[in-house]
Amino acid sequence: MHLFVDISSHGFGHLAITAPVLNALVKLAPDTRLTIRTQLPRRKLLQRIDGPFELIEASTDFGYVMIDATRVDLPASAAAYRQAHADWPARVAAEAAFLAGLAPDLVLTNVSYLPLAGAARAGIPSLSLCSLNWADLFAHFFGDETWAAPIHAEMLAAYRSARTFLRVTPGMTMSSLGNVQEIGPIAAIGQARDLGLGGDKAVLVAMGGIAHRLPVDNWPRLPGIRWLVAADWQCRHPDALAFEDFGLSFTDLLCSVDAIVTKPGYGTFTEAAANGTPVLFQRREDWPEQDCLIDWLAGNVASREIAAELLQTGQLTEALSDVWRAPRLTPPLPAGAEQAAGMILKQFEDLAALSR
């Protein structure tokens, strides 16, 4: 069976949700043919997805235009949505023609809605998978704008055309969709490695897949703490190391460090919890998904919210001490990938039965 998968390039969280599902699916049905469309780097896909796949380097959604990892550029996002829907029927027709030519048995998105609308027009069944959807975020940011209602209606119609929206835990309520099926958390499990730091504690500083450089160069030195940061920051702090130099996948690195400094994001939060890694996080500005993520995180791993000012000054001693002193919680069972894979396989089996 042929599965076409569209993965949003809005950060790395959509891949972190989708990849474990694809890996679980291929274990259940090794003959599954995967075609993936995304603008995420191929190397990132290869780090996360175990089996072979065909890659189409393109994107059908932008999510939101970001100023940095915590702030949305609302004027630019509004303009982008108005442009994307300026001739929506033509975009849907073009997507339907593309999918008809590709001829997959099933379409899965995380979390673009154009492929869902195109699949419906082409008569191809579809599913969507995520902790959020762009329609609910659009209503949050632009619902009061006079121009927004027709665009929101087109977005909702596309999401509702999917057979099921697989809403992972934790996730937004999505009461407006009407086709939501809740599944468990999705998270990759890493393998802890000795980072060779001679007893120093390692704190990973990773704000997600959207550019957001913190002034670690100017942070004070904290005895026994090493900061693991992106190589392209070219950080000059004497206790900073480029995390790429360890040659580990993100999940193995996350599993090997003593804490992570980040912002609310599904993949980082669930993987930190599932691997027992304490979390310090800075809230995102007016991001409606984050409350359910933060509430869930608090019940599953030691965590603490920190003010943006602390990430500018590097005064993190107290926050780190708090999460390291906190009782260790039982890691959550990331059962969502197998649940989603089973539902996708059931769709394949139902389609095969109809074709007999």
Side-chain angles (χ1 to χ4, degrees), residues 77-98:
S77 296
Y81 271 112
R82 296 179 79 169
Q83 180 179 1
H85 286 260
D87 193 354
W88 180 247
R91 290 194 70 201
V92 173
E95 181 71 0
F98 163 76

Side-chain angles (χ1 to χ4, degrees), residues 239-252:
D239 299 323
L241 300 168
F243 56 68
E244 294 90 342
D245 290 348
F246 292 95
L248 302 178
S249 69
F250 179 82
T251 310
D252 283 351

Side-chain angles (χ1 to χ4, degrees), residues 174-197:
M174 305 190 197
S175 57
S176 63
L177 299 190
N179 58 352
V180 172
Q181 174 67 53
E182 296 183 17
I183 60 175
I186 294 178
I189 301 299
Q191 181 177 351
R193 307 295 180 91
D194 182 357
L195 300 181
L197 301 182

Side-chain angles (χ1 to χ4, degrees), residues 18-348:
T18 309
V21 175
L22 301 183
N23 294 339
L25 175 63
V26 171
K27 286 183 180 179
L28 292 173
D31 59 344
T32 301
R33 175 188 168 194
L34 294 177
T35 300
I36 297 174
R37 177 171 60 188
T38 186
Q39 284 189 329
L40 293 173
R42 181 186 288 269
R43 61 182 175 81
K44 291 291 185 182
L45 302 179
L46 293 173
Q47 289 172 0
R48 292 274 184 176
I49 300 171
D50 295 338
F53 57 86
E54 302 168 46
L55 177 61
I56 299 172
E57 296 183 8
S59 178
T60 58
D61 72 339
F62 62 91
Y64 283 84
V65 181
M66 305 299 295
I67 298 171
D68 55 32
T70 64
R71 296 179 294 166
V72 176
D73 187 331
L74 289 177
S77 296
Y81 271 112
R82 296 179 79 169
Q83 180 179 1
H85 286 260
D87 193 354
W88 180 247
R91 290 194 70 201
V92 173
E95 181 71 0
F98 163 76
L99 291 172
L102 191 65
D105 297 291
L106 184 68
V107 168
L108 173 68
T109 76
N110 188 338
V111 63
S112 178
Y113 53 92
L114 176 61
L116 303 176
R121 179 158 180 167
I124 301 170
S126 66
L127 303 171
S128 199
L129 165 75
C130 201
S131 58
L132 55 76
N133 67 77
W134 299 137
D136 283 352
L137 267 67
F138 182 88
H140 173 82
F141 289 120
F142 305 119
D144 293 333
E145 300 291 339
T146 57
W147 49 267
I151 294 175
H152 187 235
E154 289 169 344
M155 298 170 81
L156 282 178
Y159 281 121
R160 289 169 177 168
S161 71
R163 291 191 171 188
T164 306
F165 193 111
L166 302 175
R167 197 223 73 175
V168 297
T169 301
M172 296 178 68
T173 305
M174 305 190 197
S175 57
S176 63
L177 299 190
N179 58 352
V180 172
Q181 174 67 53
E182 296 183 17
I183 60 175
I186 294 178
I189 301 299
Q191 181 177 351
R193 307 295 180 91
D194 182 357
L195 300 181
L197 301 182
D200 285 353
K201 289 185 178 293
V203 178
L204 178 60
V205 182
M207 301 298 285
I210 296 169
H212 189 115
R213 192 188 193 289
L214 294 173
V216 178
D217 306 72
N218 302 322
W219 285 6
R221 299 191 71 176
L222 303 182
I225 303 295
R226 306 296 293 274
W227 308 107
L228 276 53
V229 303
D232 62 10
W233 288 12
Q234 298 183 337
C235 187
R236 299 183 302 276
H237 192 288
D239 299 323
L241 300 168
F243 56 68
E244 294 90 342
D245 290 348
F246 292 95
L248 302 178
S249 69
F250 179 82
T251 310
D252 283 351
L253 186 64
L254 180 62
C255 188
S256 304
V257 299
D258 298 281
I260 181 170
V261 175
T262 189
K263 51 86 173 143
Y266 187 92
T268 303
F269 271 24
T270 59
E271 290 188 2
N275 289 284
T277 303
V279 180
L280 302 184
F281 63 90
Q282 176 194 339
R283 277 185 178 265
R284 302 165 75 163
E285 288 188 9
D286 194 26
W287 186 255
E289 179 204 19
Q290 68 183 339
D291 288 337
C292 65
L293 301 182
I294 293 168
D295 290 345
W296 180 87
L297 186 75
N300 286 280
V301 75
S303 60
R304 176 170 167 175
E305 178 183 347
I306 51 177
E309 293 76 16
L310 293 182
L311 292 185
Q312 295 301 307
T313 63
Q315 301 294 332
L316 299 177
T317 302
E318 180 181 348
L320 287 170
S321 296
D322 283 351
V323 295
W324 285 333
R325 286 195 304 262
R328 181 176 176 83
L329 301 175
T330 302
L333 179 65
E338 287 73 21
Q339 292 170 349
M343 293 177 184
I344 294 169
L345 182 59
K346 180 65 163 56
Q347 293 289 330
F348 280 155

